Structure formats: structure tokens, C-alpha cells
Amino acid sequence: ERVPATRSFADSLKVFSVRKLLIGGSADLMFPPKALRSDAIEANADFKEISGASHFVMFDQPEAAVREIESW
């Protein structure tokens, strides 16, 4: 039996008609910044990279994440 293809992350984001902000950490190995930036472009979303943060940006750099959200 053939397994149906799943949606890409960018495709999942495209269904939302609101402004979108993706925040990624420069040291994220699960969603590297280059891949997340590409998804943001494809999904018509904004992208901010937090220097020194891993996948858990809000735990690694909470002040920087809040700054990016507030300035967005």
C-alpha cells in the first residue's frame, strides 16, 4: 500500500491568511536557519534568526525572542 505524501511545513503555513513570523535559532539542528528561511519565503512569512539559540529559542534566548516578536 502506498503511503500518501505529507504536506511540507511551508504548505501547512500557506493555509493561514494572516501575517506569519517564523523564529529560528542559529544553532538549530532540527530546523536549520537556511531551511526555515526558505520555508518562510515560500509561505510568504517573515523570518527572524536568533544568534546562539538552538531549536528551543524561547528557552535559550527568551529576551531576544520577545524583542523580535515585539518589534515585528
Short mmCIF file of all heavy atoms in Angstrom, two decimals:
data_model
loop_
_atom_site.label_atom_id
_atom_site.label_comp_id
_atom_site.label_asym_id
_atom_site.label_seq_id
_atom_site.Cartn_x
_atom_site.Cartn_y
_atom_site.Cartn_z
N GLU A 1 0.83 -1.18 0.00
CA GLU A 1 0.00 0.00 0.00
C GLU A 1 0.88 1.25 0.00
O GLU A 1 1.87 1.32 0.72
CB GLU A 1 -0.89 0.00 1.24
CG GLU A 1 -1.80 1.19 1.30
CD GLU A 1 -2.73 1.09 2.50
OE1 GLU A 1 -3.15 -0.02 2.85
OE2 GLU A 1 -2.98 2.14 3.09
N ARG A 2 0.50 2.19 -0.78
CA ARG A 2 1.28 3.42 -0.92
C ARG A 2 0.91 4.42 0.19
O ARG A 2 -0.26 4.64 0.46
CB ARG A 2 0.99 4.03 -2.27
CG ARG A 2 2.01 4.99 -2.69
CD ARG A 2 1.88 5.30 -4.16
NE ARG A 2 2.79 6.38 -4.39
CZ ARG A 2 2.73 7.19 -5.39
NH1 ARG A 2 1.80 7.05 -6.28
NH2 ARG A 2 3.59 8.16 -5.51
N VAL A 3 1.91 4.99 0.80
CA VAL A 3 1.69 5.99 1.86
C VAL A 3 1.57 7.36 1.20
O VAL A 3 2.44 7.75 0.42
CB VAL A 3 2.87 5.99 2.87
CG1 VAL A 3 2.68 7.07 3.91
CG2 VAL A 3 3.01 4.62 3.51
N PRO A 4 0.48 8.09 1.50
CA PRO A 4 0.33 9.42 0.88
C PRO A 4 1.40 10.39 1.38
O PRO A 4 1.83 10.32 2.52
CB PRO A 4 -1.06 9.87 1.32
CG PRO A 4 -1.39 9.04 2.50
CD PRO A 4 -0.61 7.76 2.38
N ALA A 5 1.79 11.27 0.50
CA ALA A 5 2.78 12.29 0.86
C ALA A 5 2.18 13.26 1.86
O ALA A 5 0.99 13.55 1.82
CB ALA A 5 3.24 13.03 -0.38
N THR A 6 2.98 13.73 2.76
CA THR A 6 2.51 14.72 3.73
C THR A 6 2.81 16.11 3.20
O THR A 6 3.66 16.29 2.32
CB THR A 6 3.19 14.52 5.09
OG1 THR A 6 4.60 14.65 4.92
CG2 THR A 6 2.85 13.17 5.68
N ARG A 7 2.14 17.07 3.75
CA ARG A 7 2.38 18.46 3.37
C ARG A 7 3.74 18.91 3.88
O ARG A 7 4.18 18.48 4.94
CB ARG A 7 1.36 19.36 4.03
CG ARG A 7 0.04 19.38 3.41
CD ARG A 7 -0.80 20.39 4.14
NE ARG A 7 -1.93 20.74 3.32
CZ ARG A 7 -2.85 21.58 3.68
NH1 ARG A 7 -2.79 22.17 4.85
NH2 ARG A 7 -3.86 21.85 2.90
N SER A 8 4.34 19.80 3.15
CA SER A 8 5.57 20.40 3.65
C SER A 8 5.20 21.43 4.72
O SER A 8 4.04 21.84 4.84
CB SER A 8 6.32 21.10 2.51
OG SER A 8 5.64 22.28 2.12
N PHE A 9 6.17 21.83 5.49
CA PHE A 9 5.93 22.83 6.52
C PHE A 9 5.42 24.12 5.89
O PHE A 9 4.45 24.72 6.36
CB PHE A 9 7.22 23.06 7.31
CG PHE A 9 7.09 24.05 8.44
CD1 PHE A 9 6.14 23.88 9.42
CD2 PHE A 9 7.93 25.15 8.51
CE1 PHE A 9 6.01 24.78 10.47
CE2 PHE A 9 7.82 26.05 9.56
CZ PHE A 9 6.86 25.87 10.53
N ALA A 10 6.05 24.53 4.78
CA ALA A 10 5.63 25.76 4.10
C ALA A 10 4.20 25.63 3.59
O ALA A 10 3.40 26.57 3.72
CB ALA A 10 6.58 26.07 2.95
N ASP A 11 3.84 24.48 3.03
CA ASP A 11 2.47 24.28 2.55
C ASP A 11 1.48 24.37 3.69
O ASP A 11 0.38 24.91 3.52
CB ASP A 11 2.33 22.93 1.84
CG ASP A 11 2.96 22.92 0.47
OD1 ASP A 11 3.18 24.01 -0.11
OD2 ASP A 11 3.24 21.81 -0.04
N SER A 12 1.83 23.85 4.85
CA SER A 12 0.95 23.93 6.00
C SER A 12 0.72 25.37 6.43
O SER A 12 -0.37 25.74 6.88
CB SER A 12 1.53 23.14 7.17
OG SER A 12 1.61 21.78 6.85
N LEU A 13 1.75 26.21 6.30
CA LEU A 13 1.63 27.61 6.69
C LEU A 13 0.82 28.43 5.69
O LEU A 13 0.20 29.42 6.05
CB LEU A 13 3.02 28.23 6.83
CG LEU A 13 3.85 27.74 8.00
CD1 LEU A 13 5.26 28.33 7.90
CD2 LEU A 13 3.21 28.10 9.32
N LYS A 14 0.82 28.01 4.44
CA LYS A 14 0.13 28.78 3.39
C LYS A 14 -1.37 28.86 3.61
O LYS A 14 -2.01 29.76 3.08
CB LYS A 14 0.42 28.16 2.02
CG LYS A 14 1.81 28.37 1.53
CD LYS A 14 1.99 27.68 0.19
CE LYS A 14 3.43 27.68 -0.25
NZ LYS A 14 3.59 26.95 -1.52
N VAL A 15 -1.95 27.94 4.35
CA VAL A 15 -3.40 27.96 4.55
C VAL A 15 -3.85 29.12 5.43
O VAL A 15 -5.01 29.49 5.41
CB VAL A 15 -3.93 26.62 5.14
CG1 VAL A 15 -3.59 25.46 4.23
CG2 VAL A 15 -3.41 26.39 6.54
N PHE A 16 -2.93 29.72 6.17
CA PHE A 16 -3.27 30.85 7.03
C PHE A 16 -3.13 32.16 6.27
O PHE A 16 -2.10 32.43 5.65
CB PHE A 16 -2.36 30.88 8.26
CG PHE A 16 -2.48 29.66 9.12
CD1 PHE A 16 -1.51 28.67 9.08
CD2 PHE A 16 -3.59 29.48 9.94
CE1 PHE A 16 -1.63 27.53 9.86
CE2 PHE A 16 -3.71 28.35 10.72
CZ PHE A 16 -2.74 27.37 10.68
N SER A 17 -4.16 32.98 6.30
CA SER A 17 -4.14 34.23 5.56
C SER A 17 -3.70 35.42 6.42
O SER A 17 -3.84 36.56 6.01
CB SER A 17 -5.52 34.50 4.95
OG SER A 17 -6.49 34.59 5.98
N VAL A 18 -3.18 35.15 7.59
CA VAL A 18 -2.70 36.20 8.48
C VAL A 18 -1.19 36.35 8.32
O VAL A 18 -0.53 35.50 7.73
CB VAL A 18 -3.03 35.88 9.96
CG1 VAL A 18 -4.54 35.84 10.17
CG2 VAL A 18 -2.39 34.57 10.38
N ARG A 19 -0.65 37.43 8.87
CA ARG A 19 0.80 37.59 8.87
C ARG A 19 1.42 36.47 9.69
O ARG A 19 0.85 36.04 10.69
CB ARG A 19 1.19 38.93 9.49
CG ARG A 19 0.83 40.12 8.65
CD ARG A 19 1.15 41.43 9.35
NE ARG A 19 2.58 41.52 9.65
CZ ARG A 19 3.09 42.25 10.64
NH1 ARG A 19 2.30 42.92 11.45
NH2 ARG A 19 4.39 42.31 10.84
N LYS A 20 2.59 36.02 9.27
CA LYS A 20 3.26 34.92 9.95
C LYS A 20 4.71 35.29 10.23
O LYS A 20 5.36 35.90 9.39
CB LYS A 20 3.21 33.66 9.08
CG LYS A 20 1.79 33.18 8.78
CD LYS A 20 1.77 32.12 7.71
CE LYS A 20 1.95 32.63 6.33
NZ LYS A 20 0.81 33.22 5.68
N LEU A 21 5.18 34.90 11.39
CA LEU A 21 6.57 35.12 11.77
C LEU A 21 7.17 33.80 12.19
O LEU A 21 6.64 33.14 13.10
CB LEU A 21 6.67 36.12 12.93
CG LEU A 21 8.05 36.31 13.55
CD1 LEU A 21 9.02 36.90 12.53
CD2 LEU A 21 7.96 37.19 14.79
N LEU A 22 8.25 33.40 11.54
CA LEU A 22 8.99 32.21 11.93
C LEU A 22 10.26 32.69 12.62
O LEU A 22 10.97 33.55 12.10
CB LEU A 22 9.35 31.35 10.73
CG LEU A 22 8.18 30.85 9.88
CD1 LEU A 22 8.70 29.99 8.74
CD2 LEU A 22 7.20 30.09 10.72
N ILE A 23 10.54 32.13 13.77
CA ILE A 23 11.74 32.47 14.52
C ILE A 23 12.57 31.21 14.66
O ILE A 23 12.07 30.19 15.14
CB ILE A 23 11.41 33.05 15.91
CG1 ILE A 23 10.60 34.33 15.77
CG2 ILE A 23 12.68 33.30 16.70
CD1 ILE A 23 10.16 34.92 17.08
N GLY A 24 13.82 31.28 14.24
CA GLY A 24 14.70 30.14 14.33
C GLY A 24 16.00 30.48 15.02
O GLY A 24 16.42 31.64 15.04
N GLY A 25 16.61 29.48 15.58
CA GLY A 25 17.89 29.65 16.24
C GLY A 25 19.04 29.35 15.28
O GLY A 25 18.95 28.43 14.47
N SER A 26 20.11 30.09 15.40
CA SER A 26 21.26 29.89 14.51
C SER A 26 21.90 28.52 14.72
O SER A 26 22.56 28.00 13.81
CB SER A 26 22.31 30.99 14.74
OG SER A 26 22.82 30.91 16.06
N ALA A 27 21.69 27.91 15.89
CA ALA A 27 22.28 26.60 16.18
C ALA A 27 21.23 25.48 16.16
O ALA A 27 21.46 24.41 16.71
CB ALA A 27 22.97 26.64 17.54
N ASP A 28 20.09 25.73 15.51
CA ASP A 28 19.02 24.73 15.45
C ASP A 28 19.39 23.64 14.45
O ASP A 28 19.57 23.92 13.27
CB ASP A 28 17.71 25.41 15.04
CG ASP A 28 16.50 24.50 15.15
OD1 ASP A 28 16.67 23.26 15.19
OD2 ASP A 28 15.38 25.03 15.20
N LEU A 29 19.51 22.41 14.93
CA LEU A 29 19.84 21.29 14.05
C LEU A 29 18.60 20.62 13.48
O LEU A 29 18.67 19.95 12.44
CB LEU A 29 20.68 20.25 14.82
CG LEU A 29 22.00 20.76 15.39
CD1 LEU A 29 22.70 19.66 16.17
CD2 LEU A 29 22.89 21.29 14.28
N MET A 30 17.45 20.81 14.12
CA MET A 30 16.21 20.20 13.63
C MET A 30 15.64 20.99 12.45
O MET A 30 15.20 20.41 11.46
CB MET A 30 15.18 20.11 14.75
CG MET A 30 13.94 19.34 14.37
SD MET A 30 12.82 19.10 15.76
CE MET A 30 13.73 17.86 16.68
N PHE A 31 15.59 22.31 12.59
CA PHE A 31 15.15 23.21 11.53
C PHE A 31 16.26 24.25 11.32
O PHE A 31 16.18 25.36 11.85
CB PHE A 31 13.85 23.93 11.90
CG PHE A 31 12.65 23.03 11.95
CD1 PHE A 31 12.18 22.55 13.15
CD2 PHE A 31 11.99 22.67 10.79
CE1 PHE A 31 11.07 21.72 13.21
CE2 PHE A 31 10.88 21.85 10.82
CZ PHE A 31 10.42 21.37 12.03
N PRO A 32 17.28 23.90 10.56
CA PRO A 32 18.39 24.85 10.35
C PRO A 32 17.87 26.17 9.77
O PRO A 32 16.90 26.17 9.00
CB PRO A 32 19.29 24.13 9.35
CG PRO A 32 18.94 22.68 9.49
CD PRO A 32 17.49 22.65 9.85
N PRO A 33 18.48 27.29 10.13
CA PRO A 33 18.02 28.59 9.67
C PRO A 33 17.84 28.69 8.15
O PRO A 33 16.87 29.29 7.69
CB PRO A 33 19.10 29.56 10.16
CG PRO A 33 19.74 28.87 11.30
CD PRO A 33 19.64 27.40 11.01
N LYS A 34 18.74 28.09 7.40
CA LYS A 34 18.63 28.15 5.94
C LYS A 34 17.33 27.51 5.46
O LYS A 34 16.64 28.05 4.60
CB LYS A 34 19.84 27.45 5.30
CG LYS A 34 19.89 27.55 3.81
CD LYS A 34 21.16 26.91 3.27
CE LYS A 34 21.19 26.99 1.76
NZ LYS A 34 22.41 26.37 1.22
N ALA A 35 16.98 26.36 6.03
CA ALA A 35 15.74 25.67 5.65
C ALA A 35 14.52 26.45 6.12
O ALA A 35 13.53 26.59 5.37
CB ALA A 35 15.73 24.26 6.22
N LEU A 36 14.56 26.96 7.34
CA LEU A 36 13.43 27.71 7.87
C LEU A 36 13.22 29.01 7.10
O LEU A 36 12.08 29.40 6.82
CB LEU A 36 13.65 27.99 9.36
CG LEU A 36 12.41 28.34 10.18
CD1 LEU A 36 11.33 27.29 10.04
CD2 LEU A 36 12.78 28.54 11.63
N ARG A 37 14.30 29.66 6.73
CA ARG A 37 14.21 30.89 5.93
C ARG A 37 13.56 30.59 4.58
O ARG A 37 12.69 31.33 4.10
CB ARG A 37 15.59 31.51 5.73
CG ARG A 37 15.55 32.83 4.96
CD ARG A 37 16.93 33.44 4.82
NE ARG A 37 17.37 34.02 6.08
CZ ARG A 37 18.34 33.51 6.85
NH1 ARG A 37 18.98 32.42 6.51
NH2 ARG A 37 18.67 34.08 7.98
N SER A 38 13.95 29.48 3.98
CA SER A 38 13.37 29.06 2.70
C SER A 38 11.87 28.79 2.85
O SER A 38 11.07 29.19 2.00
CB SER A 38 14.10 27.82 2.20
OG SER A 38 13.51 27.34 1.02
N ASP A 39 11.48 28.11 3.93
CA ASP A 39 10.05 27.86 4.19
C ASP A 39 9.30 29.17 4.38
O ASP A 39 8.18 29.32 3.90
CB ASP A 39 9.87 26.99 5.44
CG ASP A 39 10.18 25.53 5.20
OD1 ASP A 39 10.15 25.10 4.03
OD2 ASP A 39 10.44 24.82 6.18
N ALA A 40 9.91 30.11 5.08
CA ALA A 40 9.27 31.41 5.31
C ALA A 40 9.02 32.13 3.98
O ALA A 40 7.94 32.65 3.75
CB ALA A 40 10.12 32.27 6.24
N ILE A 41 10.00 32.11 3.12
CA ILE A 41 9.85 32.76 1.82
C ILE A 41 8.72 32.09 1.03
O ILE A 41 7.84 32.76 0.48
CB ILE A 41 11.17 32.72 1.03
CG1 ILE A 41 12.20 33.63 1.70
CG2 ILE A 41 10.95 33.11 -0.43
CD1 ILE A 41 13.62 33.45 1.20
N GLU A 42 8.73 30.77 1.00
CA GLU A 42 7.70 30.02 0.26
C GLU A 42 6.30 30.25 0.83
O GLU A 42 5.33 30.29 0.08
CB GLU A 42 8.03 28.54 0.28
CG GLU A 42 7.12 27.71 -0.60
CD GLU A 42 7.49 26.24 -0.61
OE1 GLU A 42 8.66 25.89 -0.32
OE2 GLU A 42 6.59 25.45 -0.90
N ALA A 43 6.19 30.42 2.14
CA ALA A 43 4.90 30.58 2.80
C ALA A 43 4.50 32.05 2.96
O ALA A 43 3.53 32.36 3.62
CB ALA A 43 4.92 29.91 4.16
N ASN A 44 5.28 32.96 2.38
CA ASN A 44 5.04 34.39 2.50
C ASN A 44 5.00 34.81 3.97
O ASN A 44 4.10 35.52 4.41
CB ASN A 44 3.74 34.80 1.78
CG ASN A 44 3.66 36.28 1.57
OD1 ASN A 44 4.67 36.96 1.43
ND2 ASN A 44 2.46 36.81 1.56
N ALA A 45 5.98 34.36 4.71
CA ALA A 45 6.10 34.68 6.14
C ALA A 45 7.40 35.44 6.38
O ALA A 45 8.33 35.38 5.57
CB ALA A 45 6.10 33.39 6.97
N ASP A 46 7.45 36.14 7.48
CA ASP A 46 8.69 36.82 7.89
C ASP A 46 9.54 35.82 8.66
O ASP A 46 9.02 34.88 9.27
CB ASP A 46 8.37 38.02 8.76
CG ASP A 46 7.59 39.09 8.01
OD1 ASP A 46 7.88 39.33 6.83
OD2 ASP A 46 6.68 39.67 8.61
N PHE A 47 10.84 36.04 8.64
CA PHE A 47 11.76 35.16 9.34
C PHE A 47 12.76 35.97 10.14
O PHE A 47 13.33 36.94 9.64
CB PHE A 47 12.52 34.26 8.36
CG PHE A 47 13.57 33.41 9.03
CD1 PHE A 47 13.22 32.32 9.79
CD2 PHE A 47 14.92 33.73 8.90
CE1 PHE A 47 14.18 31.54 10.43
CE2 PHE A 47 15.90 32.96 9.52
CZ PHE A 47 15.52 31.87 10.29
N LYS A 48 12.97 35.57 11.38
CA LYS A 48 13.99 36.17 12.24
C LYS A 48 14.86 35.05 12.80
O LYS A 48 14.36 34.02 13.24
CB LYS A 48 13.35 36.93 13.41
CG LYS A 48 12.45 38.06 13.00
CD LYS A 48 13.23 39.18 12.37
CE LYS A 48 12.31 40.34 12.04
NZ LYS A 48 13.02 41.48 11.52
N GLU A 49 16.16 35.27 12.76
CA GLU A 49 17.12 34.29 13.29
C GLU A 49 17.72 34.82 14.59
O GLU A 49 18.20 35.95 14.64
CB GLU A 49 18.22 34.04 12.28
CG GLU A 49 19.22 33.00 12.72
CD GLU A 49 20.25 32.70 11.64
OE1 GLU A 49 19.96 32.85 10.44
OE2 GLU A 49 21.37 32.32 12.01
N ILE A 50 17.69 33.98 15.62
CA ILE A 50 18.24 34.35 16.92
C ILE A 50 19.63 33.73 17.06
O ILE A 50 19.77 32.51 17.08
CB ILE A 50 17.33 33.87 18.08
CG1 ILE A 50 15.89 34.37 17.90
CG2 ILE A 50 17.92 34.28 19.42
CD1 ILE A 50 15.72 35.85 18.00
N SER A 51 20.63 34.57 17.15
CA SER A 51 22.01 34.12 17.25
C SER A 51 22.24 33.32 18.53
O SER A 51 21.84 33.73 19.63
CB SER A 51 22.94 35.33 17.21
OG SER A 51 24.28 34.91 17.31
N GLY A 52 22.88 32.17 18.39
CA GLY A 52 23.26 31.35 19.52
C GLY A 52 22.16 30.45 20.07
O GLY A 52 22.41 29.67 20.98
N ALA A 53 20.94 30.56 19.54
CA ALA A 53 19.84 29.74 20.05
C ALA A 53 19.78 28.42 19.29
O ALA A 53 20.09 28.34 18.11
CB ALA A 53 18.52 30.48 19.90
N SER A 54 19.32 27.39 20.01
CA SER A 54 19.13 26.08 19.38
C SER A 54 17.67 25.97 18.94
O SER A 54 17.00 26.98 18.71
CB SER A 54 19.48 24.97 20.37
OG SER A 54 18.52 24.92 21.41
N HIS A 55 17.14 24.76 18.89
CA HIS A 55 15.76 24.53 18.48
C HIS A 55 14.78 25.16 19.47
O HIS A 55 13.68 25.55 19.10
CB HIS A 55 15.50 23.02 18.35
CG HIS A 55 14.15 22.69 17.87
ND1 HIS A 55 13.72 22.97 16.59
CD2 HIS A 55 13.09 22.11 18.49
CE1 HIS A 55 12.48 22.57 16.44
NE2 HIS A 55 12.07 22.04 17.58
N PHE A 56 15.19 25.27 20.72
CA PHE A 56 14.32 25.81 21.77
C PHE A 56 14.64 27.28 22.01
O PHE A 56 15.14 27.65 23.07
CB PHE A 56 14.46 24.97 23.04
CG PHE A 56 14.09 23.54 22.82
CD1 PHE A 56 15.07 22.57 22.65
CD2 PHE A 56 12.76 23.16 22.73
CE1 PHE A 56 14.74 21.25 22.43
CE2 PHE A 56 12.41 21.84 22.50
CZ PHE A 56 13.40 20.88 22.35
N VAL A 57 14.33 28.11 21.03
CA VAL A 57 14.69 29.53 21.06
C VAL A 57 14.18 30.22 22.32
O VAL A 57 14.90 30.98 22.95
CB VAL A 57 14.14 30.24 19.80
CG1 VAL A 57 14.40 31.73 19.86
CG2 VAL A 57 14.75 29.64 18.54
N MET A 58 12.93 29.95 22.69
CA MET A 58 12.35 30.63 23.85
C MET A 58 13.04 30.27 25.16
O MET A 58 12.98 31.02 26.12
CB MET A 58 10.85 30.33 23.96
CG MET A 58 10.02 30.96 22.85
SD MET A 58 10.12 32.77 22.79
CE MET A 58 9.33 33.22 24.32
N PHE A 59 13.68 29.10 25.21
CA PHE A 59 14.43 28.71 26.41
C PHE A 59 15.86 29.23 26.36
O PHE A 59 16.42 29.65 27.37
CB PHE A 59 14.45 27.20 26.59
CG PHE A 59 13.10 26.61 26.91
CD1 PHE A 59 12.43 25.87 25.96
CD2 PHE A 59 12.50 26.81 28.14
CE1 PHE A 59 11.18 25.34 26.23
CE2 PHE A 59 11.26 26.28 28.43
CZ PHE A 59 10.60 25.54 27.47
N ASP A 60 16.46 29.19 25.17
CA ASP A 60 17.85 29.59 25.01
C ASP A 60 18.05 31.10 25.06
O ASP A 60 19.00 31.58 25.67
CB ASP A 60 18.42 29.09 23.67
CG ASP A 60 18.55 27.59 23.61
OD1 ASP A 60 18.54 26.94 24.67
OD2 ASP A 60 18.67 27.07 22.49
N GLN A 61 17.18 31.82 24.37
CA GLN A 61 17.33 33.28 24.24
C GLN A 61 15.96 33.96 24.40
O GLN A 61 15.46 34.59 23.46
CB GLN A 61 17.92 33.62 22.85
CG GLN A 61 19.26 33.03 22.56
CD GLN A 61 20.37 33.74 23.29
OE1 GLN A 61 20.21 34.88 23.72
NE2 GLN A 61 21.50 33.08 23.44
N PRO A 62 15.33 33.83 25.57
CA PRO A 62 13.97 34.36 25.72
C PRO A 62 13.85 35.87 25.47
O PRO A 62 12.91 36.32 24.83
CB PRO A 62 13.57 34.00 27.15
CG PRO A 62 14.86 33.71 27.86
CD PRO A 62 15.81 33.23 26.81
N GLU A 63 14.82 36.64 25.95
CA GLU A 63 14.75 38.09 25.76
C GLU A 63 14.85 38.46 24.29
O GLU A 63 14.12 39.33 23.80
CB GLU A 63 15.85 38.81 26.57
CG GLU A 63 15.71 38.66 28.07
CD GLU A 63 16.39 37.39 28.60
OE1 GLU A 63 17.06 36.67 27.83
OE2 GLU A 63 16.21 37.11 29.80
N ALA A 64 15.74 37.80 23.57
CA ALA A 64 15.91 38.08 22.14
C ALA A 64 14.65 37.69 21.36
O ALA A 64 14.22 38.41 20.46
CB ALA A 64 17.12 37.33 21.59
N ALA A 65 14.06 36.56 21.73
CA ALA A 65 12.84 36.12 21.05
C ALA A 65 11.70 37.12 21.28
O ALA A 65 10.99 37.50 20.35
CB ALA A 65 12.44 34.73 21.53
N VAL A 66 11.55 37.56 22.51
CA VAL A 66 10.50 38.54 22.82
C VAL A 66 10.75 39.84 22.08
O VAL A 66 9.82 40.45 21.53
CB VAL A 66 10.40 38.77 24.35
CG1 VAL A 66 9.52 39.98 24.68
CG2 VAL A 66 9.87 37.53 25.04
N ARG A 67 11.99 40.29 22.02
CA ARG A 67 12.33 41.51 21.28
C ARG A 67 11.90 41.39 19.82
O ARG A 67 11.33 42.32 19.25
CB ARG A 67 13.83 41.79 21.36
CG ARG A 67 14.22 42.81 22.38
CD ARG A 67 15.65 43.31 22.21
NE ARG A 67 16.64 42.27 21.93
CZ ARG A 67 17.25 41.53 22.85
NH1 ARG A 67 16.97 41.68 24.12
NH2 ARG A 67 18.14 40.63 22.50
N GLU A 68 12.21 40.24 19.21
CA GLU A 68 11.85 40.05 17.79
C GLU A 68 10.34 40.05 17.60
O GLU A 68 9.83 40.64 16.65
CB GLU A 68 12.45 38.75 17.25
CG GLU A 68 13.95 38.74 17.15
CD GLU A 68 14.49 39.77 16.16
OE1 GLU A 68 13.72 40.38 15.37
OE2 GLU A 68 15.71 39.96 16.16
N ILE A 69 9.63 39.40 18.50
CA ILE A 69 8.16 39.36 18.39
C ILE A 69 7.58 40.75 18.58
O ILE A 69 6.71 41.20 17.81
CB ILE A 69 7.58 38.38 19.42
CG1 ILE A 69 7.98 36.94 19.07
CG2 ILE A 69 6.05 38.50 19.48
CD1 ILE A 69 7.72 35.92 20.16
N GLU A 70 8.05 41.46 19.59
CA GLU A 70 7.52 42.80 19.84
C GLU A 70 7.84 43.78 18.71
O GLU A 70 7.01 44.65 18.39
CB GLU A 70 8.04 43.34 21.17
CG GLU A 70 7.43 42.64 22.37
CD GLU A 70 7.94 43.14 23.70
OE1 GLU A 70 9.04 43.74 23.75
OE2 GLU A 70 7.24 42.92 24.69
N SER A 71 9.01 43.66 18.12
CA SER A 71 9.37 44.58 17.04
C SER A 71 8.71 44.22 15.71
O SER A 71 8.63 45.03 14.81
CB SER A 71 10.89 44.63 16.86
OG SER A 71 11.37 43.42 16.32
N TRP A 72 8.23 43.01 15.62
CA TRP A 72 7.57 42.55 14.40
C TRP A 72 6.23 43.22 14.25
O TRP A 72 5.79 43.67 13.29
CB TRP A 72 7.46 41.02 14.43
CG TRP A 72 6.83 40.43 13.24
CD1 TRP A 72 7.35 40.37 11.97
CD2 TRP A 72 5.58 39.75 13.17
NE1 TRP A 72 6.48 39.69 11.15
CE2 TRP A 72 5.40 39.30 11.85
CE3 TRP A 72 4.60 39.46 14.11
CZ2 TRP A 72 4.27 38.59 11.44
CZ3 TRP A 72 3.49 38.75 13.71
CH2 TRP A 72 3.33 38.34 12.39
#
